[in-house]
Amino acid sequence: MPNDDAENSEQPKGELVIRTIAMPADTNPNGDIFGGWLMAQMDLGSGILASKMAKTRVVTVAVEGMSFLQPVKVGDTVACYAWVESVGRTSMKIPVEVWVQRYMHTEQTRVTRAVFTYVAVDPSGRPVPVERL
Ligand SMILES: CC(C)(COP(=O)(O)OP(=O)(O)OC[C@H]1O[C@@H](n2cnc3c(N)ncnc32)[C@H](O)[C@@H]1OP(=O)(O)O)[C@@H](O)C(=O)NCCC(=O)NCCS
């Protein structure tokens, strides 16, 4: 795993798809932010990008390489960045990274990454082709 300095010298890439604040309601009894809450933000954010690309309803079919690199704390500003890596016939592979800005700090730190795969579907949930630009 890269050291903190290397992590901090990088900047987020991709599109800012969601930004929110980690709240006390998102914690477990130990006061730590739930990984599941973070995954939900990543799914919401990358889903926005997927449906914008497909111009139709999409469903999440797979999540790969989920890595929690640093903890998220109450009060952190949580930003999800995503980009379309590849488009198949009906599916889209979308890497997502979460970067946080700690409370009262300016620098951003990457805390989580994963690759989400979405499938474009019709109103009945059947796969439909994604139009390529
Ligand atoms: C997504 C879904 C419609 C795909 O149905 P399916 O019968 O597997 O359809 P297909 O075999 O035609 O596959 C469709 C595409 O999904 C891809 N795919 C299917 N399973 C996959 C997996 N586990 N990982 C990555 N891609 C997958 C296929 O490669 C194909 O991509 P392509 O068209 O770009 O080549 C179906 O699996 C489904 O409804 N899953 C539940 C989705 C859901 O509810 N998500 C939210 C969970 S709470």
Side-chain angles (χ1 to χ4, degrees):
M1 186 183 294
N3 65 34
D4 285 353
D5 290 344
E7 285 283 310
N8 289 337
S9 68
E10 287 182 55
Q11 290 298 313
K13 62 174 179 173
E15 186 176 327
L16 175 64
V17 284
I18 205 163
R19 185 154 66 164
T20 187
I21 293 178
M23 297 292 281
D26 308 317
T27 60
N28 62 25
N30 300 322
D32 300 319
I33 295 294
F34 276 119
W37 176 79
L38 211 49
M39 285 180 73
Q41 304 309 308
M42 296 167 84
D43 198 6
L44 286 169
S46 52
I48 289 170
L49 190 59
S51 53
K52 191 166 97 177
M53 169 100 201
K55 298 181 194 69
T56 184
R57 181 182 156 196
V58 297
V59 291
T60 313
V61 72
V63 184
E64 295 168 276
M66 188 79 212
S67 301
F68 295 98
L69 310 167
Q70 303 275 342
V72 177
K73 300 175 182 147
V74 170
D76 287 352
T77 298
V78 174
C80 297
Y81 293 85
W83 61 98
V84 179
E85 185 179 79
S86 59
V87 180
R89 195 180 80 84
T90 65
S91 68
M92 294 153 283
K93 210 166 254 242
I94 301 190
V96 192
E97 290 185 355
V98 179
W99 291 66
V100 298
Q101 198 175 331
R102 305 291 185 194
Y103 185 62
M104 301 297 279
H105 287 75
T106 52
E107 74 277 10
Q108 291 198 93
T109 307
R110 182 171 51 196
V111 293
T112 307
R113 64 172 161 236
V115 180
F116 284 69
T117 303
Y118 291 89
V119 176
V121 293
D122 68 14
S124 314
R126 282 185 298 261
V128 291
V130 177
E131 225 178 275
R132 285 161 182 276
L133 293 176

